[in-house]
PDB file of all heavy atoms in Angstrom:
ATOM      1  N   PHE A 102       0.793  -1.250   0.004  1.00  0.00           N
ATOM      2  CA  PHE A 102      -0.049  -0.007   0.013  1.00  0.00           C
ATOM      3  C   PHE A 102       0.839   1.243  -0.003  1.00  0.00           C
ATOM      4  O   PHE A 102       0.558   2.262  -0.674  1.00  0.00           O
ATOM      5  CB  PHE A 102      -0.889  -0.004   1.233  1.00  0.00           C
ATOM      6  CG  PHE A 102      -1.787   1.256   1.302  1.00  0.00           C
ATOM      7  CD1 PHE A 102      -2.868   1.528   0.583  1.00  0.00           C
ATOM      8  CD2 PHE A 102      -1.418   2.266   2.286  1.00  0.00           C
ATOM      9  CE1 PHE A 102      -3.611   2.669   0.706  1.00  0.00           C
ATOM     10  CE2 PHE A 102      -2.171   3.437   2.330  1.00  0.00           C
ATOM     11  CZ  PHE A 102      -3.256   3.610   1.564  1.00  0.00           C
ATOM     12  N   SER A 103       1.954   1.276   0.791  1.00  0.00           N
ATOM     13  CA  SER A 103       2.755   2.478   0.907  1.00  0.00           C
ATOM     14  C   SER A 103       3.884   2.634  -0.018  1.00  0.00           C
ATOM     15  O   SER A 103       4.662   3.525   0.140  1.00  0.00           O
ATOM     16  CB  SER A 103       3.244   2.602   2.369  1.00  0.00           C
ATOM     17  OG  SER A 103       4.178   1.452   2.638  1.00  0.00           O
ATOM     18  N   THR A 104       4.021   1.721  -0.976  1.00  0.00           N
ATOM     19  CA  THR A 104       5.055   1.765  -1.957  1.00  0.00           C
ATOM     20  C   THR A 104       4.729   2.776  -3.104  1.00  0.00           C
ATOM     21  O   THR A 104       4.443   2.375  -4.194  1.00  0.00           O
ATOM     22  CB  THR A 104       5.432   0.428  -2.578  1.00  0.00           C
ATOM     23  OG1 THR A 104       4.292  -0.179  -3.160  1.00  0.00           O
ATOM     24  CG2 THR A 104       5.972  -0.477  -1.413  1.00  0.00           C
ATOM     25  N   TYR A 105       4.929   4.046  -2.765  1.00  0.00           N
ATOM     26  CA  TYR A 105       4.595   5.063  -3.796  1.00  0.00           C
ATOM     27  C   TYR A 105       5.593   5.256  -4.920  1.00  0.00           C
ATOM     28  O   TYR A 105       5.194   5.568  -6.009  1.00  0.00           O
ATOM     29  CB  TYR A 105       4.451   6.369  -3.020  1.00  0.00           C
ATOM     30  CG  TYR A 105       3.334   6.525  -2.107  1.00  0.00           C
ATOM     31  CD1 TYR A 105       3.537   6.447  -0.780  1.00  0.00           C
ATOM     32  CD2 TYR A 105       2.026   6.795  -2.597  1.00  0.00           C
ATOM     33  CE1 TYR A 105       2.404   6.543   0.151  1.00  0.00           C
ATOM     34  CE2 TYR A 105       0.902   6.884  -1.779  1.00  0.00           C
ATOM     35  CZ  TYR A 105       1.211   6.785  -0.427  1.00  0.00           C
ATOM     36  OH  TYR A 105       0.100   6.844   0.498  1.00  0.00           O
ATOM     37  N   VAL A 106       6.825   4.897  -4.637  1.00  0.00           N
ATOM     38  CA  VAL A 106       7.827   4.976  -5.679  1.00  0.00           C
ATOM     39  C   VAL A 106       8.503   3.673  -5.878  1.00  0.00           C
ATOM     40  O   VAL A 106       8.847   2.916  -4.905  1.00  0.00           O
ATOM     41  CB  VAL A 106       8.967   5.988  -5.269  1.00  0.00           C
ATOM     42  CG1 VAL A 106      10.115   5.940  -6.256  1.00  0.00           C
ATOM     43  CG2 VAL A 106       8.381   7.400  -5.079  1.00  0.00           C
ATOM     44  N   MET A 107       8.645   3.276  -7.134  1.00  0.00           N
ATOM     45  CA  MET A 107       9.405   1.992  -7.427  1.00  0.00           C
ATOM     46  C   MET A 107      10.409   2.382  -8.562  1.00  0.00           C
ATOM     47  O   MET A 107      10.188   3.295  -9.350  1.00  0.00           O
ATOM     48  CB  MET A 107       8.439   0.920  -8.019  1.00  0.00           C
ATOM     49  CG  MET A 107       7.498   0.449  -6.999  1.00  0.00           C
ATOM     50  SD  MET A 107       6.498  -0.944  -7.571  1.00  0.00           S
ATOM     51  CE  MET A 107       7.819  -2.225  -7.452  1.00  0.00           C
ATOM     52  N   GLY A 108      11.623   1.902  -8.376  1.00  0.00           N
ATOM     53  CA  GLY A 108      12.709   2.275  -9.172  1.00  0.00           C
ATOM     54  C   GLY A 108      13.667   1.086  -9.577  1.00  0.00           C
ATOM     55  O   GLY A 108      13.604   0.062  -8.971  1.00  0.00           O
ATOM     56  N   TRP A 109      14.524   1.383 -10.430  1.00  0.00           N
ATOM     57  CA  TRP A 109      15.580   0.481 -10.915  1.00  0.00           C
ATOM     58  C   TRP A 109      16.884   1.125 -10.644  1.00  0.00           C
ATOM     59  O   TRP A 109      17.181   2.261 -11.201  1.00  0.00           O
ATOM     60  CB  TRP A 109      15.449   0.092 -12.379  1.00  0.00           C
ATOM     61  CG  TRP A 109      14.270  -0.777 -12.636  1.00  0.00           C
ATOM     62  CD1 TRP A 109      12.980  -0.423 -13.036  1.00  0.00           C
ATOM     63  CD2 TRP A 109      14.208  -2.249 -12.514  1.00  0.00           C
ATOM     64  NE1 TRP A 109      12.227  -1.490 -13.198  1.00  0.00           N
ATOM     65  CE2 TRP A 109      12.938  -2.657 -12.889  1.00  0.00           C
ATOM     66  CE3 TRP A 109      15.123  -3.165 -12.096  1.00  0.00           C
ATOM     67  CZ2 TRP A 109      12.522  -3.945 -12.846  1.00  0.00           C
ATOM     68  CZ3 TRP A 109      14.755  -4.547 -12.134  1.00  0.00           C
ATOM     69  CH2 TRP A 109      13.555  -4.892 -12.488  1.00  0.00           C
ATOM     70  N   PHE A 110      17.729   0.498  -9.894  1.00  0.00           N
ATOM     71  CA  PHE A 110      19.084   0.915  -9.646  1.00  0.00           C
ATOM     72  C   PHE A 110      19.990  -0.063 -10.440  1.00  0.00           C
ATOM     73  O   PHE A 110      19.601  -1.219 -10.776  1.00  0.00           O
ATOM     74  CB  PHE A 110      19.481   0.886  -8.219  1.00  0.00           C
ATOM     75  CG  PHE A 110      18.923   1.983  -7.389  1.00  0.00           C
ATOM     76  CD1 PHE A 110      17.668   1.878  -6.917  1.00  0.00           C
ATOM     77  CD2 PHE A 110      19.675   3.033  -7.122  1.00  0.00           C
ATOM     78  CE1 PHE A 110      16.993   2.936  -6.174  1.00  0.00           C
ATOM     79  CE2 PHE A 110      19.135   4.124  -6.312  1.00  0.00           C
ATOM     80  CZ  PHE A 110      17.844   4.026  -5.853  1.00  0.00           C
ATOM     81  N   ARG A 111      21.250   0.238 -10.664  1.00  0.00           N
ATOM     82  CA  ARG A 111      22.234  -0.618 -11.204  1.00  0.00           C
ATOM     83  C   ARG A 111      23.526  -0.321 -10.635  1.00  0.00           C
ATOM     84  O   ARG A 111      23.869   0.713 -10.116  1.00  0.00           O
ATOM     85  CB  ARG A 111      22.363  -0.482 -12.744  1.00  0.00           C
ATOM     86  CG  ARG A 111      22.905   0.801 -13.270  1.00  0.00           C
ATOM     87  CD  ARG A 111      22.884   0.808 -14.779  1.00  0.00           C
ATOM     88  NE  ARG A 111      23.475   1.971 -15.373  1.00  0.00           N
ATOM     89  CZ  ARG A 111      23.357   2.412 -16.609  1.00  0.00           C
ATOM     90  NH1 ARG A 111      22.716   1.661 -17.545  1.00  0.00           N
ATOM     91  NH2 ARG A 111      23.983   3.507 -17.058  1.00  0.00           N
ATOM     92  N   GLN A 112      24.373  -1.366 -10.523  1.00  0.00           N
ATOM     93  CA  GLN A 112      25.685  -1.247 -10.002  1.00  0.00           C
ATOM     94  C   GLN A 112      26.673  -2.080 -10.790  1.00  0.00           C
ATOM     95  O   GLN A 112      26.523  -3.334 -10.876  1.00  0.00           O
ATOM     96  CB  GLN A 112      25.680  -1.765  -8.470  1.00  0.00           C
ATOM     97  CG  GLN A 112      27.035  -1.468  -7.808  1.00  0.00           C
ATOM     98  CD  GLN A 112      26.950  -1.541  -6.348  1.00  0.00           C
ATOM     99  OE1 GLN A 112      26.116  -2.232  -5.754  1.00  0.00           O
ATOM    100  NE2 GLN A 112      27.789  -0.896  -5.599  1.00  0.00           N
ATOM    101  N   ALA A 113      27.614  -1.456 -11.468  1.00  0.00           N
ATOM    102  CA  ALA A 113      28.613  -2.104 -12.139  1.00  0.00           C
ATOM    103  C   ALA A 113      29.833  -2.329 -11.247  1.00  0.00           C
ATOM    104  O   ALA A 113      30.021  -1.647 -10.185  1.00  0.00           O
ATOM    105  CB  ALA A 113      29.100  -1.235 -13.352  1.00  0.00           C
ATOM    106  N   PRO A 114      30.735  -3.264 -11.545  1.00  0.00           N
ATOM    107  CA  PRO A 114      31.864  -3.583 -10.648  1.00  0.00           C
ATOM    108  C   PRO A 114      32.733  -2.347 -10.514  1.00  0.00           C
ATOM    109  O   PRO A 114      33.097  -1.661 -11.349  1.00  0.00           O
ATOM    110  CB  PRO A 114      32.613  -4.688 -11.474  1.00  0.00           C
ATOM    111  CG  PRO A 114      31.609  -5.341 -12.316  1.00  0.00           C
ATOM    112  CD  PRO A 114      30.662  -4.274 -12.669  1.00  0.00           C
ATOM    113  N   GLY A 115      33.051  -2.106  -9.169  1.00  0.00           N
ATOM    114  CA  GLY A 115      33.843  -0.984  -8.791  1.00  0.00           C
ATOM    115  C   GLY A 115      33.229   0.352  -8.838  1.00  0.00           C
ATOM    116  O   GLY A 115      33.955   1.360  -8.620  1.00  0.00           O
ATOM    117  N   LYS A 116      31.860   0.399  -9.160  1.00  0.00           N
ATOM    118  CA  LYS A 116      31.219   1.717  -9.211  1.00  0.00           C
ATOM    119  C   LYS A 116      30.120   1.751  -8.162  1.00  0.00           C
ATOM    120  O   LYS A 116      29.637   0.756  -7.700  1.00  0.00           O
ATOM    121  CB  LYS A 116      30.613   1.913 -10.678  1.00  0.00           C
ATOM    122  CG  LYS A 116      31.698   1.961 -11.743  1.00  0.00           C
ATOM    123  CD  LYS A 116      31.068   2.320 -13.089  1.00  0.00           C
ATOM    124  CE  LYS A 116      32.120   2.520 -14.140  1.00  0.00           C
ATOM    125  NZ  LYS A 116      31.520   2.797 -15.467  1.00  0.00           N
ATOM    126  N   GLU A 117      29.677   2.998  -7.925  1.00  0.00           N
ATOM    127  CA  GLU A 117      28.584   3.246  -7.019  1.00  0.00           C
ATOM    128  C   GLU A 117      27.214   2.831  -7.606  1.00  0.00           C
ATOM    129  O   GLU A 117      27.064   2.781  -8.836  1.00  0.00           O
ATOM    130  CB  GLU A 117      28.512   4.692  -6.585  1.00  0.00           C
ATOM    131  CG  GLU A 117      29.680   5.194  -5.872  1.00  0.00           C
ATOM    132  CD  GLU A 117      29.873   4.626  -4.464  1.00  0.00           C
ATOM    133  OE1 GLU A 117      28.849   4.404  -3.814  1.00  0.00           O
ATOM    134  OE2 GLU A 117      30.996   4.397  -4.069  1.00  0.00           O
ATOM    135  N   ARG A 118      26.312   2.443  -6.691  1.00  0.00           N
ATOM    136  CA  ARG A 118      24.967   2.082  -7.177  1.00  0.00           C
ATOM    137  C   ARG A 118      24.230   3.391  -7.689  1.00  0.00           C
ATOM    138  O   ARG A 118      24.311   4.361  -6.847  1.00  0.00           O
ATOM    139  CB  ARG A 118      24.157   1.304  -6.083  1.00  0.00           C
ATOM    140  CG  ARG A 118      22.914   0.812  -6.547  1.00  0.00           C
ATOM    141  CD  ARG A 118      22.259  -0.048  -5.394  1.00  0.00           C
ATOM    142  NE  ARG A 118      23.128  -1.189  -5.154  1.00  0.00           N
ATOM    143  CZ  ARG A 118      22.695  -2.179  -4.286  1.00  0.00           C
ATOM    144  NH1 ARG A 118      21.526  -2.259  -3.723  1.00  0.00           N
ATOM    145  NH2 ARG A 118      23.601  -3.270  -4.105  1.00  0.00           N
ATOM    146  N   GLU A 119      23.612   3.358  -8.791  1.00  0.00           N
ATOM    147  CA  GLU A 119      22.932   4.521  -9.303  1.00  0.00           C
ATOM    148  C   GLU A 119      21.492   4.286  -9.679  1.00  0.00           C
ATOM    149  O   GLU A 119      21.226   3.166 -10.179  1.00  0.00           O
ATOM    150  CB  GLU A 119      23.825   5.093 -10.453  1.00  0.00           C
ATOM    151  CG  GLU A 119      23.847   4.197 -11.719  1.00  0.00           C
ATOM    152  CD  GLU A 119      24.736   4.838 -12.848  1.00  0.00           C
ATOM    153  OE1 GLU A 119      25.055   5.940 -12.733  1.00  0.00           O
ATOM    154  OE2 GLU A 119      25.011   4.105 -13.790  1.00  0.00           O
ATOM    155  N   LEU A 120      20.693   5.250  -9.512  1.00  0.00           N
ATOM    156  CA  LEU A 120      19.249   5.126  -9.960  1.00  0.00           C
ATOM    157  C   LEU A 120      19.240   5.288 -11.482  1.00  0.00           C
ATOM    158  O   LEU A 120      19.612   6.321 -12.006  1.00  0.00           O
ATOM    159  CB  LEU A 120      18.471   6.177  -9.252  1.00  0.00           C
ATOM    160  CG  LEU A 120      16.898   6.170  -9.554  1.00  0.00           C
ATOM    161  CD1 LEU A 120      16.304   4.844  -9.053  1.00  0.00           C
ATOM    162  CD2 LEU A 120      16.324   7.382  -8.996  1.00  0.00           C
ATOM    163  N   VAL A 121      18.647   4.333 -12.124  1.00  0.00           N
ATOM    164  CA  VAL A 121      18.458   4.362 -13.521  1.00  0.00           C
ATOM    165  C   VAL A 121      17.188   4.961 -13.932  1.00  0.00           C
ATOM    166  O   VAL A 121      17.061   5.835 -14.901  1.00  0.00           O
ATOM    167  CB  VAL A 121      18.598   2.923 -14.185  1.00  0.00           C
ATOM    168  CG1 VAL A 121      18.294   2.935 -15.613  1.00  0.00           C
ATOM    169  CG2 VAL A 121      19.833   2.217 -13.823  1.00  0.00           C
ATOM    170  N   ALA A 122      16.090   4.619 -13.260  1.00  0.00           N
ATOM    171  CA  ALA A 122      14.716   5.111 -13.562  1.00  0.00           C
ATOM    172  C   ALA A 122      13.900   4.892 -12.326  1.00  0.00           C
ATOM    173  O   ALA A 122      14.077   3.888 -11.560  1.00  0.00           O
ATOM    174  CB  ALA A 122      14.150   4.441 -14.835  1.00  0.00           C
ATOM    175  N   ALA A 123      12.888   5.652 -12.194  1.00  0.00           N
ATOM    176  CA  ALA A 123      11.854   5.594 -11.108  1.00  0.00           C
ATOM    177  C   ALA A 123      10.611   6.116 -11.537  1.00  0.00           C
ATOM    178  O   ALA A 123      10.397   6.941 -12.391  1.00  0.00           O
ATOM    179  CB  ALA A 123      12.434   6.188  -9.753  1.00  0.00           C
ATOM    180  N   ILE A 124       9.522   5.570 -10.940  1.00  0.00           N
ATOM    181  CA  ILE A 124       8.207   6.042 -11.189  1.00  0.00           C
ATOM    182  C   ILE A 124       7.400   6.021  -9.908  1.00  0.00           C
ATOM    183  O   ILE A 124       7.450   5.069  -9.090  1.00  0.00           O
ATOM    184  CB  ILE A 124       7.522   5.195 -12.346  1.00  0.00           C
ATOM    185  CG1 ILE A 124       6.129   5.756 -12.730  1.00  0.00           C
ATOM    186  CG2 ILE A 124       7.419   3.731 -11.852  1.00  0.00           C
ATOM    187  CD1 ILE A 124       5.647   5.067 -13.984  1.00  0.00           C
ATOM    188  N   ASN A 125       6.505   7.067  -9.651  1.00  0.00           N
ATOM    189  CA  ASN A 125       5.606   6.980  -8.599  1.00  0.00           C
ATOM    190  C   ASN A 125       4.205   6.604  -8.968  1.00  0.00           C
ATOM    191  O   ASN A 125       3.988   6.380 -10.176  1.00  0.00           O
ATOM    192  CB  ASN A 125       5.627   8.372  -7.765  1.00  0.00           C
ATOM    193  CG  ASN A 125       5.102   9.479  -8.556  1.00  0.00           C
ATOM    194  OD1 ASN A 125       4.329   9.422  -9.533  1.00  0.00           O
ATOM    195  ND2 ASN A 125       5.341  10.768  -8.048  1.00  0.00           N
ATOM    196  N   ARG A 126       3.270   6.567  -7.993  1.00  0.00           N
ATOM    197  CA  ARG A 126       1.989   6.051  -8.358  1.00  0.00           C
ATOM    198  C   ARG A 126       1.231   7.069  -9.260  1.00  0.00           C
ATOM    199  O   ARG A 126       0.206   6.634  -9.860  1.00  0.00           O
ATOM    200  CB  ARG A 126       1.176   5.856  -7.062  1.00  0.00           C
ATOM    201  CG  ARG A 126       1.668   4.575  -6.268  1.00  0.00           C
ATOM    202  CD  ARG A 126       0.764   4.277  -5.104  1.00  0.00           C
ATOM    203  NE  ARG A 126       1.204   3.156  -4.348  1.00  0.00           N
ATOM    204  CZ  ARG A 126       0.848   1.888  -4.710  1.00  0.00           C
ATOM    205  NH1 ARG A 126       0.008   1.597  -5.674  1.00  0.00           N
ATOM    206  NH2 ARG A 126       1.282   0.915  -3.918  1.00  0.00           N
ATOM    207  N   SER A 127       1.531   8.263  -9.280  1.00  0.00           N
ATOM    208  CA  SER A 127       0.945   9.248 -10.204  1.00  0.00           C
ATOM    209  C   SER A 127       1.456   9.198 -11.587  1.00  0.00           C
ATOM    210  O   SER A 127       0.929   9.930 -12.485  1.00  0.00           O
ATOM    211  CB  SER A 127       1.070  10.751  -9.611  1.00  0.00           C
ATOM    212  OG  SER A 127       0.514  10.816  -8.370  1.00  0.00           O
ATOM    213  N   GLY A 128       2.573   8.449 -11.792  1.00  0.00           N
ATOM    214  CA  GLY A 128       3.048   8.340 -13.142  1.00  0.00           C
ATOM    215  C   GLY A 128       4.248   9.265 -13.367  1.00  0.00           C
ATOM    216  O   GLY A 128       4.766   9.242 -14.520  1.00  0.00           O
ATOM    217  N   THR A 129       4.744  10.014 -12.393  1.00  0.00           N
ATOM    218  CA  THR A 129       5.828  10.893 -12.551  1.00  0.00           C
ATOM    219  C   THR A 129       7.116  10.043 -12.723  1.00  0.00           C
ATOM    220  O   THR A 129       7.234   9.030 -11.940  1.00  0.00           O
ATOM    221  CB  THR A 129       6.033  11.847 -11.409  1.00  0.00           C
ATOM    222  OG1 THR A 129       4.856  12.604 -11.298  1.00  0.00           O
ATOM    223  CG2 THR A 129       7.262  12.718 -11.578  1.00  0.00           C
ATOM    224  N   THR A 130       7.964  10.245 -13.677  1.00  0.00           N
ATOM    225  CA  THR A 130       9.095   9.496 -13.852  1.00  0.00           C
ATOM    226  C   THR A 130      10.428  10.258 -13.696  1.00  0.00           C
ATOM    227  O   THR A 130      10.499  11.445 -13.831  1.00  0.00           O
ATOM    228  CB  THR A 130       9.063   8.832 -15.276  1.00  0.00           C
ATOM    229  OG1 THR A 130       9.039   9.894 -16.256  1.00  0.00           O
ATOM    230  CG2 THR A 130       7.929   7.883 -15.430  1.00  0.00           C
ATOM    231  N   TYR A 131      11.471   9.476 -13.460  1.00  0.00           N
ATOM    232  CA  TYR A 131      12.898   9.986 -13.404  1.00  0.00           C
ATOM    233  C   TYR A 131      13.665   9.092 -14.326  1.00  0.00           C
ATOM    234  O   TYR A 131      13.532   7.822 -14.197  1.00  0.00           O
ATOM    235  CB  TYR A 131      13.354  10.090 -12.051  1.00  0.00           C
ATOM    236  CG  TYR A 131      14.829  10.168 -11.991  1.00  0.00           C
ATOM    237  CD1 TYR A 131      15.484  11.478 -11.892  1.00  0.00           C
ATOM    238  CD2 TYR A 131      15.725   9.010 -11.945  1.00  0.00           C
ATOM    239  CE1 TYR A 131      16.938  11.497 -11.986  1.00  0.00           C
ATOM    240  CE2 TYR A 131      17.094   9.220 -11.860  1.00  0.00           C
ATOM    241  CZ  TYR A 131      17.679  10.461 -11.892  1.00  0.00           C
ATOM    242  OH  TYR A 131      19.027  10.546 -11.867  1.00  0.00           O
ATOM    243  N   TYR A 132      14.618   9.608 -15.082  1.00  0.00           N
ATOM    244  CA  TYR A 132      15.645   8.883 -15.820  1.00  0.00           C
ATOM    245  C   TYR A 132      16.987   9.408 -15.596  1.00  0.00           C
ATOM    246  O   TYR A 132      17.215  10.554 -15.581  1.00  0.00           O
ATOM    247  CB  TYR A 132      15.250   8.863 -17.283  1.00  0.00           C
ATOM    248  CG  TYR A 132      14.037   8.089 -17.600  1.00  0.00           C
ATOM    249  CD1 TYR A 132      12.857   8.756 -17.756  1.00  0.00           C
ATOM    250  CD2 TYR A 132      14.027   6.706 -17.751  1.00  0.00           C
ATOM    251  CE1 TYR A 132      11.684   8.051 -18.131  1.00  0.00           C
ATOM    252  CE2 TYR A 132      12.809   6.051 -18.102  1.00  0.00           C
ATOM    253  CZ  TYR A 132      11.599   6.734 -18.314  1.00  0.00           C
ATOM    254  OH  TYR A 132      10.462   6.038 -18.591  1.00  0.00           O
TER     255      TYR A 132
END
C-alpha cells in the first residue's frame, strides 16, 4: 500500500549504485 515509488538501480563492478529510472503512483518518472 505504501510503496509510492518504485525504481531500478544498477551497480557495475567498482562503481557506486545509481538510480536508472523511477516512477511514482501518479506516473511521474525519473531517468
Side-chain angles (χ1 to χ4, degrees):
F102 176 79
S103 61
T104 55
Y105 292 103
V106 175
M107 297 187 72
W109 289 95
F110 287 81
R111 69 185 182 189
Q112 188 165 24
K116 296 186 177 180
E117 297 291 323
R118 189 170 299 188
E119 62 182 354
L120 181 65
V121 177
I124 185 169
N125 67 16
R126 289 186 180 272
S127 298
T129 301
T130 58
Y131 164 90
Y132 293 97

